[in-house]
Amino acid sequence: MSSTLLVYLHGFRSSPRSSKAVMTGDAVKSLSTADNPIQWYCPQLLASPHQSMDMVTKYIDQSKADQIVIIGSSLGGFYANYLAEKYGCKAVALNPAVRAARELAPHVGMMTSYDSDEPFDFRPEYIDELKSLQIEGISNPGSYFLIAAKGDELLDWKEMVEFYQGAKQLILEGSDHGIADYADHLPKVLEFISP
């Protein structure tokens, strides 16, 4: 019997209530069996990148799972790179921010969450924290699966393709940053993450 811990990391200003997180969680729970239990962990990430990663790594370290899989969307994809390199595990990156410090530098200041309008302060020092978590290149492309949308209105899909050279890649014609047609591609995600 082998157990899997599946960690889903949402994007900037998002939450565990995002449609992709909920859809993935429901699908993963239905895959979990007595012989191969899958533990689902989808935390509300904090404004501070360091505090977010401390929280997630603490959870992973306390988990007794035989296998870890990370799925990350946008900023969560950036964090997924960091964690996949740290733990040598599989990662699925959904329209990831491969250079999060650069992408988020213009957003320093008071922000609100998408689904709750709850305000939070995105501080200048968080950009330095993101820089310290930056992975310059993936060491084991075979353990990564990139889904990138050419229609992403926020991030450059070509940069994603280049960063994940050698990894399994699904490049979507059109679509958008949130991957509105994610349900169509979820089976490929589940296939990639299954042991």
Side-chain angles (χ1 to χ4, degrees), residues 159-175:
E159 187 175 43
M160 300 175 203
V161 167
E162 193 178 317
F163 186 83
Y164 294 93
Q165 269 178 357
K168 179 180 170 70
Q169 297 191 356
L170 174 61
I171 310 305
L172 308 176
E173 294 295 333
S175 193

Side-chain angles (χ1 to χ4, degrees), residues 31-100:
L31 284 182
S32 187
T33 62
D35 292 339
N36 188 7
I38 303 176
Q39 185 189 351
W40 172 252
Y41 176 55
C42 181
Q44 176 65 59
L45 297 174
L46 309 165
S48 159
H50 275 176
Q51 286 178 3
S52 291
M53 288 303 93
D54 286 349
M55 174 180 72
V56 173
T57 53
K58 196 172 286 178
Y59 190 94
I60 292 173
D61 292 343
Q62 288 169 353
S63 148
K64 302 284 189 282
D66 303 306
Q67 173 182 260
I68 301 157
V69 179
I70 317 283
I71 300 179
S73 170
S74 192
L75 175 59
F78 170 84
Y79 290 145
N81 295 338
Y82 169 78
L83 293 167
E85 293 298 321
K86 178 178 171 66
Y87 292 102
C89 64
K90 281 184 177 178
V92 179
L94 308 170
N95 278 339
V98 293
R99 302 268 167 208

Side-chain angles (χ1 to χ4, degrees), residues 122-133:
F122 191 65
R123 298 177 184 161
E125 59 264 32
Y126 296 162
I127 300 301
D128 292 329
E129 291 181 14
L130 287 169
K131 286 177 183 165
S132 73
L133 296 167

